[in-house]
Amino acid sequence: MTTPPALLIAGHGTRDDAGAEAFRAFVRELGRRRPDLPVAGGFIELSPPPLGEAVAELVERGVRRFAAVPLMLVSAGHAKGDIPAALAREKERHPGVSYTYGRPLGPHPALLRVLERRLAEAVDPSWDPAGVTVLLVGRGSTDPDANAEVFKAARLLWEGRGYAGVETAFVSLAKPDVPGGLDRCARLGARRIVVLPYFLFTGILPDRVRTQTEEWAASHPDAEVRSADVIGPESELLDLVLERYEEAVQGDLRMNCDSCVYRVALPGFEDKVGLPQQPHFHPDDDGHHHHGHGHAHSHSHAH
């Protein structure tokens, strides 16, 4: 029987030790779920291990083929550029190794079900959903396509669930910010608001969302404001990563490039069309001293 390709999980990275350990524990759990697969995971930046170390670990275990899945909710600069460029670099470092690249995770019905659970955990059971407004808070990006994906998730979460509305905000790099999103909810007449972080694991940014929510709530005593938890290492998330792995192995990818700044001239982002992509240089990566000498990698997706 042909040995299936290994599974490589690519994470964003965080300065939060608990968040980094949550990622590493998630990768270990994936390995337990699929004992037939070599599984490894690494980060693009900020926390160990770097992605290159994870690839080297697989190669040392005899792996020649792997499928890489970005453990990210939206396709922003990391999923579109940094990870493909880093994988191209690893292919040069390890001649004879080949890989396929999967797509980001969301918005997926399984994750929407987890988000719905997080809302149910945060609200008072006596609250009528029709009187609850949700503020879905994403990471935020300079990539308009990535920000639009968060709005798409918000709309899909709202559909059919009976909430008064699902508004959208971002914790960094994009507007509205968390206080601005809460202001919008209040102007729309919301009196019961649940702030729902659109994040996989704990970390500095989800903590910031909760802190900013508490600060806003303290200055708006007329509103009842609750904070929901992050998605977390739920069984749905594990299943979805393995689904993305199978897609990549089978070549059944449907990545959306219709609004990608590297392919389409979007207003205000025209200078990004066709830009070559460079990998991040992770401080823990053996090749970090080559900073500035990475190989350009043209942005491309399977269609």
Side-chain angles (χ1 to χ4, degrees), residues 232-292:
E234 297 291 291
S235 60
E236 289 94 339
L237 182 59
L238 289 154
D239 291 342
L240 177 54
V241 169
L242 292 171
E243 182 179 320
R244 292 287 186 256
Y245 163 81
E246 295 294 346
E247 287 177 353
V249 169
Q250 296 165 16
D252 184 25
L253 297 179
R254 304 181 185 87
M255 193 172 287
N256 170 35
C257 292
D258 295 339
S259 52
C260 173
V261 289
Y262 300 114
R263 286 180 175 270
V264 181
L266 299 181
F269 297 87
E270 293 88 351
D271 60 326
K272 290 185 178 292
V273 175
L275 275 184
Q277 298 301 299
Q278 300 283 359
H280 265 297
F281 285 86
H282 196 292
D284 297 319
D285 192 289
D286 289 340
H288 75 277
H289 58 276
H290 297 301
H291 185 82

Side-chain angles (χ1 to χ4, degrees), residues 45-253:
E45 59 182 357
L46 301 176
S47 41
L51 195 63
E53 187 176 306
V55 174
E57 175 193 328
L58 290 174
V59 171
E60 287 167 9
R61 292 162 67 181
V63 167
R64 310 306 289 165
R65 298 185 303 139
F66 65 86
V69 175
L71 197 68
M72 298 170 185
L73 288 167
V74 300
S75 187
H78 287 296
K80 290 178 179 179
D82 298 326
I83 297 173
L87 293 175
R89 179 181 62 195
E90 295 309 313
K91 194 170 187 294
E92 291 185 358
R93 286 178 173 175
H94 305 283
V97 166
S98 63
Y99 65 88
T100 54
Y101 184 39
R103 57 178 173 148
L105 303 176
H108 188 280
L111 294 185
L112 295 173
R113 288 196 297 273
V114 179
L115 292 173
E116 189 174 12
R117 274 208 307 277
R118 295 292 175 257
L119 289 173
E121 292 162 0
V123 302
D124 189 303
S126 67
W127 289 5
D128 179 358
V132 175
T133 299
V134 178
L135 182 65
L136 184 70
V137 181
R139 175 180 294 272
S141 173
T142 55
D143 184 336
D145 181 38
N147 296 331
E149 282 290 302
V150 182
F151 275 81
K152 181 176 181 179
R155 178 70 198 195
L156 290 170
L157 182 63
W158 180 77
E159 291 278 357
R161 290 180 173 83
Y163 291 103
V166 180
E167 296 297 314
T168 308
F170 302 96
V171 73
S172 66
L173 299 174
K175 297 291 185 181
D177 58 14
V178 175
L182 287 164
D183 287 343
R184 175 175 169 80
C185 291
R187 285 197 298 271
L188 289 169
R191 290 294 172 263
R192 287 174 170 166
I193 305 169
V194 180
V195 177
L196 177 62
Y198 194 43
F199 287 83
L200 293 175
F201 303 128
T202 56
I204 289 173
L205 293 181
D207 288 348
R208 187 180 301 166
V209 173
R210 186 175 288 267
T211 299
Q212 292 179 352
T213 297
E214 290 170 354
E215 290 171 350
W216 188 92
S219 61
H220 294 77
D222 291 342
E224 288 187 84
V225 185
R226 302 282 181 91
S227 287
D229 287 333
V230 296
I231 290 170
E234 297 291 291
S235 60
E236 289 94 339
L237 182 59
L238 289 154
D239 291 342
L240 177 54
V241 169
L242 292 171
E243 182 179 320
R244 292 287 186 256
Y245 163 81
E246 295 294 346
E247 287 177 353
V249 169
Q250 296 165 16
D252 184 25
L253 297 179

